[in-house]
């Protein structure tokens, strides 16, 4: 199949398995999606002080994400301008200057080159190699939203706000519970033999898998919610660049619902003060509580509220995660725990425990998800398997109309449905198709690549 | 942020040959229980107040005291969460381990000291976990050093503390649906 | 007394505990040293074999420096360079 017919099939909700396994398709994704879109790199709380840095990647490209001596966040290519050596090889640290291990070219943590051995003798001094004109290459675009640090390799990328669109309304439930924002721990990092899109799609809207894949966590009494009947009462929303799942809440009362998922009164009051009327309405009038979500292309979020101890206490957690592709069939999962900075200490500890039990490298939900993701990827390699088109049409009639109407009085931006349906996965893949067919030649997105 | 607390063995006396043999056999038998999927039997080897922890390893400069993160873990478990994990494997829906992985835990380099406050024994061991799933995947390996505090419970030992110092900063196993 | 070549030679001064400060680019040891009549902060780089003892006023001057001062020091990333022969 050529790319046009692949995208056409995907837009009809029928998915060629090759999009999960074909290296040629991945080569195009690398250029047309990861080379252009907004990529999440780190959270500001990972680099709170001047000189704090972490090293992160956009596919193969390594970047130093650093807070410089003046407090400004920078994203600098981790490539010495001399011979291309990685300047930082530790994955985190604190430094006012970076000194390349190969020939000791030394850069300020703003990226500027300040020193190189025998500058006069070897290069003829500043007259011939002007240090002022040389700096570690900054990512063409950098944007920070609610502490989330994003970069784009495309200097003509639309603003992050435009990319995110109405999804920011939902993102606030995860990372904007108070004026202080969240702090993160981790990340855990591990490699799975799965295509990066499978997790991104799953987190965006697969409430259908929950009752079956995650039956075990309900059986053992870890999580009350995912029983099949209850799960389909949740809303599946998509707005701007992202979408997600939610659970139906028991009351029509803001505070009672947040207490139901385990937030203490002081946090609830801060949320009340922090969120807009329209945001509060999702929880009081929907009433819905956000759960998993994805901001395209590869950033996902989780919010769940398991039973965290033998006393039956329910404590919610938030996780931020990146599906960092390595190849068509391998993905590094990078998963952070996040919690509101102003949360009481007891809550932070129990919420952390709740996260580790459910998601991340050892999480009991996650364990079963990854088994599905790797199996699907392995199957998608088969030449015979590639003759079928996977059915992603849940919620659609044969003629392409919706089986159910969108929620009429949805308080948030975008579109939402209750009941089962792959509305959001189709949205994620529709955007994927747009990127893939945009060769960047004459469009607004174009830039020299 | 840095430097997960490791149980110090500085200045402690090595255990006797006999005790060394006993704790080594304890670790071997623990590995045997896990490799054979006898998770209930494994739970029985842990104290009620078990603290079971696997901090995240990061790539950091060699001059730093430690490259284990403090407050960021793969596992940070107590009795409740370990019981839940075992209980989950007993359901019919823990897909990630059904069919189960074939695992082999190689335990070696056992060193043991008598704890400063008396009866407890501090044991350090190397662990190499081999994990094979299905028929087409390459097997996974997890390499770690474990520091355990073993406590006398009648005629036998139980594990009161376990700190797993994993060697990889990026795990090459699809999940930690395994105990280390 | 340690035979560390990085330590300035000035007799058997009483000294505080070393504090090690490191990142992936550099490693130094820092301690207070006590002279007969006062004290200084000693910074040594075992790798470069260099050391310096700074008095309180020298240390005080550091508090009004900007990062540019130190960028200036790092124009020669490994310290002073011998004149080309």
């Amino acid at each position: 199949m050529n790319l046009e017919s692949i995208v056409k099939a995907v837009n009809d909700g029928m998915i060629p398995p090759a999009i999960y396994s074909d290296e040629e398709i991945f080569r195009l994704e690398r250029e047309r999606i990861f080379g252009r879109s907004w990529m999440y790199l780190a959270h500001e709380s990972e680099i709170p002080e001047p000189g704090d840095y972490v090293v992160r990647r956009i596919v193969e490209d390594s970047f130093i994400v650093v807070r410089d001596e003046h407090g400004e966040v920078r994203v600098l290519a981790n490539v010495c301008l001399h011979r291309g050596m990685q300047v930082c090889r530790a994955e985190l640290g604190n430094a006012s200057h970076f000194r390349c291990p190969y020939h000791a070219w030394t850069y300020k943590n703003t990226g500027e080159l300040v020193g190189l051995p025998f500058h006069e003798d070897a290069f003829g001094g500043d007259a011939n190699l002007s240090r002022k004109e040389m700096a570690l290459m900054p990512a063409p675009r950098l944007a920070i939203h609610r502490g989330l640090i994003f970069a784009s390799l495309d200097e003509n990328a639309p603003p992050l706000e435009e990319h995110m669109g109405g999804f920011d309304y939902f993102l606030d439930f995860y990372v904007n519970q108070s004026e202080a924002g969240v702090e993160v721990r981790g990340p855990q990092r591990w490699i799975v033999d799965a295509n990066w899109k499978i997790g991104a799609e799953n987190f965006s809207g697969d409430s259908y898998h929950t009752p079956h894949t995650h039956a075990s966590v309900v059986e053992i009494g870890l999580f009350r919610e995912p029983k099949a009947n209850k799960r389909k009462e949740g809303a599946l929303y998509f707005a701007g660049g992202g979408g997600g799942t939610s659970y139906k809440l028991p009351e029509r009362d803001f505070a009672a619902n947040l207490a139901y998922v385990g937030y203490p009164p002081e946090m609830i009051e801060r949320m009340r003060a922090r969120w807009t009327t329209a945001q509060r309405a999702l929880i009081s009038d929907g009433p819905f509580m956000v759960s998993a979500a994805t901001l395209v292309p590869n950033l996902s979020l989780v919010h769940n509220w398991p039973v965290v101890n033998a006393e039956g206490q329910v404590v919610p957690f938030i996780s931020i995660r990146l599906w960092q592709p390595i190849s068509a069939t391998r993905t590094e999962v990078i998963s952070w725990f996040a919690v509101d900075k102003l949360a009481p200490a007891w809550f932070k500890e129990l919420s952390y425990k709740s996260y580790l039990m459910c998601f991340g490298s050892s999480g009991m939900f996650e364990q079963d998800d990854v088994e599905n993701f790797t199996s699907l990827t392995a199957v998608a390699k088969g030449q015979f398997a590639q003759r079928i088109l996977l059915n992603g049409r849940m919620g659609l009639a044969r003629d392409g109309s919706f089986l159910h109407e969108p929620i009429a009085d949805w308080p948030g931006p975008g579109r939402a449905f209750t009941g089962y349906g792959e509305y959001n996965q189709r949205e994620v893949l529709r955007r994927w198709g747009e990127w893939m067919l945009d060769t960047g030649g004459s469009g607004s997105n174009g830039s020299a690549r | 942020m840095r430097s997960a607390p490791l149980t110090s063995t500085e200045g402690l006396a090595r255990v006797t040959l006999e005790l060394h043999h006993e704790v080594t056999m304890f670790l071997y038998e623990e590995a045997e229980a896990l490799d054979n999927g006898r998770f209930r039997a494994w739970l029985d080897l842990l104290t009620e107040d078990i603290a079971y922890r696997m901090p995240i390893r990061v790539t950091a400069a060699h001059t730093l005291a430690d490259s284990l993160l403090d407050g960021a873990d793969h596992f940070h478990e107590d009795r409740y969460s370990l019981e839940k994990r075992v209980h989950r494997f007993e359901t019919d829906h823990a897909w990630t381990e059904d069919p189960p992985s074939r695992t082999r835990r190689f335990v070696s380099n056992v060193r043991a000291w008598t704890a400063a406050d008396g009866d407890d024994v501090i044991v350090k061991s190397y662990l190499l976990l081999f994990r094979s799933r299905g028929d087409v995947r390459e097997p996974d390996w997890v390499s770690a050093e474990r520091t355990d505090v073993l406590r006398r419970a009648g005629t036998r030992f139980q594990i009161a503390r376990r700190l797993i110092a994993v060697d990889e900063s990026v795990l090459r196993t699809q999940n930690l649906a395994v105990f280390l | 007394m340690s035979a560390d070549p990085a330590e300035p030679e000035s007799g058997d001064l009483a000294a505080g505990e070393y504090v090690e400060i490191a990142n992936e680019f550099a490693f130094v040891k820092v301690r207070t040293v006590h002279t007969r009549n006062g004290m200084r902060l000693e910074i040594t780089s075992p790798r470069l074999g260099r050391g310096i003892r700074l008095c309180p006023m020298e240390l005080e001057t550091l508090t009004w420096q900007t990062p540019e001062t130190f960028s200036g020091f790092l124009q020669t990333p490994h310290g002073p360079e011998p004149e080309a022969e």
Side-chain angles (χ1 to χ4, degrees):
Chain A
M1 285 176 97
N2 65 26
L3 190 60
E4 283 73 19
S5 46
I6 287 172
V7 170
K8 184 175 183 309
V10 162
N11 287 340
D12 287 338
M14 297 303 288
I15 306 163
I19 74 165
Y20 300 122
S21 63
D22 187 278
E23 291 299 340
E24 178 58 22
I25 289 173
F26 177 64
R27 195 186 62 75
L28 292 174
E29 288 175 346
R30 214 168 134 266
E31 171 190 320
R32 296 180 182 178
I33 299 176
F34 295 96
R36 278 185 200 164
S37 186
W38 284 99
M39 311 308 306
Y40 178 68
L41 291 173
H43 189 269
E44 277 201 89
S45 64
E46 294 181 87
I47 50 169
E49 299 296 329
D52 282 340
Y53 65 93
V54 293
V55 174
R56 295 282 148 78
R57 282 182 293 122
I58 296 178
V59 196
E60 292 96 341
D61 285 301
S62 176
F63 288 92
I64 307 165
V65 184
V66 59
R67 189 175 296 275
D68 72 24
E69 292 307 287
H70 312 287
E72 191 179 330
V73 173
R74 309 263 184 173
V75 175
L76 308 170
N78 189 12
V79 181
C80 182
L81 298 174
H82 178 214
R83 300 295 292 181
M85 175 75 187
Q86 279 199 29
V87 176
C88 290
R89 291 166 307 143
E91 65 188 279
L92 50 82
N94 183 293
S96 66
H97 293 75
F98 306 121
R99 181 161 56 196
C100 177
Y102 198 178
H103 303 94
W105 282 33
T106 299
Y107 304 85
K108 285 192 214 183
N109 59 13
T110 56
E112 292 164 70
L113 179 67
V114 294
L116 56 161
F118 306 103
H119 186 195
E120 199 60 48
D121 197 30
F123 290 94
D126 278 325
N128 295 287
L129 188 151
S130 169
R131 287 168 298 170
K132 279 195 166 48
E133 290 165 23
M134 300 186 77
L136 293 174
M137 217 168 26
R141 297 286 294 282
L142 163 66
I144 302 175
H145 179 86
R146 306 281 191 222
L148 303 168
I149 302 168
F150 292 83
S152 173
L153 303 187
D154 183 355
E155 63 191 31
N156 296 317
L160 177 65
E161 290 67 34
E162 195 179 308
H163 168 71
M164 200 175 284
F167 184 72
D168 65 344
Y169 166 103
F170 301 97
L171 188 59
D172 277 358
F173 295 116
Y174 301 88
V175 295
N176 188 31
Q177 297 183 347
S178 78
E179 67 276 18
V182 291
E183 61 192 27
V184 302
R185 295 197 200 180
Q188 300 165 327
R189 303 171 61 191
W190 72 104
I191 290 173
V192 299
D193 289 327
N195 182 273
W196 65 274
K197 293 188 289 300
I198 301 170
E201 283 181 67
N202 175 284
F203 278 57
S204 79
D206 196 338
S207 52
Y208 189 59
H209 87 295
T210 318
H212 189 65
T213 291
H214 301 306
S216 68
V217 295
V218 179
E219 271 179 64
I220 64 172
L222 183 65
F223 197 41
R224 299 168 293 184
E225 313 296 342
K227 296 182 183 87
N229 283 338
K230 198 156 184 185
R231 191 63 176 122
K232 73 181 167 70
E233 293 171 3
L236 299 166
Y237 64 86
F238 209 97
T245 71
S246 65
Y247 284 97
K248 183 89 174 175
L249 290 162
E251 316 275 347
R252 293 187 72 85
D253 180 286
F254 181 78
N257 282 331
L258 285 163
Y260 170 78
V261 303
Y263 286 105
E266 59 170 294
M267 292 183 75
I268 295 171
E269 287 318 304
R270 282 192 286 266
M271 293 176 202
R272 192 195 295 282
R274 190 66 182 161
W275 293 337
T276 64
T277 310
Q279 286 173 318
R280 291 195 304 270
L282 183 73
I283 293 169
S284 57
D285 304 343
F288 298 108
M289 186 62 72
V290 296
S291 184
T294 292
L295 172 68
V296 293
N298 67 334
L299 177 67
S300 291
L301 300 137
V302 198
H303 176 232
N304 275 0
W305 39 98
V307 177
V308 77
N309 54 30
E311 290 73 49
Q313 189 175 2
V314 170
V315 178
F317 71 86
I318 291 157
S319 174
I320 300 170
R321 67 159 53 197
L322 200 57
W323 310 99
Q324 170 82 58
I326 295 170
S327 71
T329 57
R330 294 196 95 197
T331 299
E332 180 178 331
V333 190
I334 308 176
S335 178
W336 293 260
F337 164 73
V339 68
D340 190 73
K341 275 183 192 156
L342 302 181
W346 69 263
F347 180 89
K348 288 182 181 178
E349 282 318 301
L350 285 182
S351 181
Y352 181 56
K353 183 181 174 193
S354 148
Y355 161 69
L356 288 177
M357 287 175 74
C358 293
F359 278 86
S361 49
S362 69
M364 285 183 260
F365 279 83
E366 182 107 32
Q367 289 178 10
D368 291 324
D369 281 328
V370 77
E371 182 72 7
N372 296 335
F373 300 170
T374 55
S375 177
L376 202 164
T377 302
V379 166
K381 292 177 191 168
Q383 58 170 318
F384 189 58
Q386 288 187 5
R387 291 190 202 173
I388 63 168
L389 293 176
L390 304 170
N391 190 310
R393 288 178 55 87
M394 196 193 310
L396 289 182
R398 190 173 288 278
D399 67 1
S401 62
F402 292 128
L403 289 175
H404 307 281
E405 288 302 307
I407 299 172
D409 52 352
W410 178 245
R415 183 186 70 187
F417 295 88
T418 48
Y420 292 126
E422 285 159 314
Y423 314 102
N424 294 353
Q425 294 94 315
R426 284 191 295 271
E427 281 298 305
V428 167
L429 289 182
R430 194 177 60 72
R431 276 138 219 267
W432 174 84
E434 285 173 2
W435 271 312
M436 292 295 274
L437 290 184
D438 179 4
T439 52
S442 55
S444 59
N445 220 6
S447 69
R449 272 178 287 267
Chain B
M1 182 79 180
R2 276 295 165 66
S3 211
L6 284 160
T7 306
S8 172
T9 55
E10 208 175 306
L12 297 181
R14 297 266 185 187
V15 299
T16 61
L17 187 58
E18 190 181 357
L19 190 52
H20 189 273
H21 176 71
E22 192 184 349
V23 298
T24 303
M25 290 312 290
F26 175 88
L27 293 178
Y28 288 177
E29 283 162 12
E30 182 210 359
E32 183 182 1
L34 287 172
D35 287 340
N36 289 287
R38 298 201 313 268
F39 300 118
R40 281 283 151 194
W42 179 69
L43 277 180
D44 197 40
L45 300 177
L46 314 177
T47 61
E48 284 301 313
D49 66 344
I50 174 77
Y52 179 94
R53 217 181 129 206
M54 178 172 168
I56 291 169
R57 177 79 77 178
V58 290
T59 303
H62 81 284
T63 42
L64 293 173
D66 208 330
S67 55
L68 295 173
L69 287 184
D70 196 13
D73 309 84
H74 293 289
F75 280 119
H76 195 156
E77 308 298 304
D78 59 11
R79 184 90 201 177
Y80 169 79
S81 63
L82 290 171
E83 296 250 9
K84 285 290 179 206
R85 290 175 186 280
V86 167
H87 187 185
R88 198 179 88 81
F89 289 138
E90 292 166 346
T91 71
D92 292 331
H93 308 107
W95 311 115
T96 194
E97 280 299 314
D98 188 14
S101 299
R102 293 168 294 273
T103 62
R104 195 69 62 198
R105 288 165 176 78
F106 298 89
V107 178
S108 73
N109 300 52
V110 176
R111 292 139 292 153
W113 298 262
T114 304
D117 58 357
D119 279 353
D120 289 354
V121 178
I122 297 167
V123 189
K124 286 182 184 283
S125 60
Y126 290 0
L127 177 75
L128 186 60
L129 169 75
F130 172 86
R131 184 184 187 193
S132 170
R133 291 193 57 66
D135 53 2
V136 293
R137 303 183 202 178
E138 293 296 314
D140 300 336
W141 298 88
V142 182
S143 169
E145 180 180 56
R146 302 180 303 187
T147 303
D148 298 334
V149 175
L150 301 188
R151 190 178 296 157
R152 281 275 175 209
T155 56
R156 61 185 188 127
F157 280 118
Q158 282 185 315
I159 304 169
R161 300 278 176 275
R162 169 161 289 175
L163 186 112
I164 302 150
V166 65
D167 292 316
E168 284 176 310
S169 63
V170 183
L171 303 180
R172 260 76 175 173
T173 193
Q174 69 174 18
N175 57 30
L176 289 171
V178 286
F179 299 109
L180 298 162
Chain C
M1 186 79 190
S2 146
D4 191 334
E7 285 177 27
E9 293 164 24
S10 51
D12 296 321
L13 294 179
E17 291 292 307
Y18 276 119
V19 173
E20 295 182 351
I21 299 183
N23 61 18
E24 63 176 306
F25 307 106
F27 168 60
V28 293
K29 298 199 290 183
V30 178
R31 64 174 181 173
T32 52
V33 291
H34 300 266
T35 67
R36 180 173 179 276
N37 298 335
M39 65 192 288
R40 290 195 171 207
L41 185 75
E42 180 187 274
I43 305 171
T44 54
S45 165
R47 192 169 58 83
L48 296 182
R50 292 179 179 278
I52 191 170
R53 285 176 176 167
L54 300 171
C55 80
M57 195 152 69
E58 285 170 320
L59 289 166
E60 191 184 59
T61 67
L62 295 181
T63 65
W64 67 72
Q65 301 309 314
T66 64
E68 280 60 40
T69 307
F70 300 95
S71 299
F73 295 165
L74 282 162
Q75 285 183 28
T76 50
H78 287 133
E81 290 169 359
E83 291 298 313
E85 301 278 315

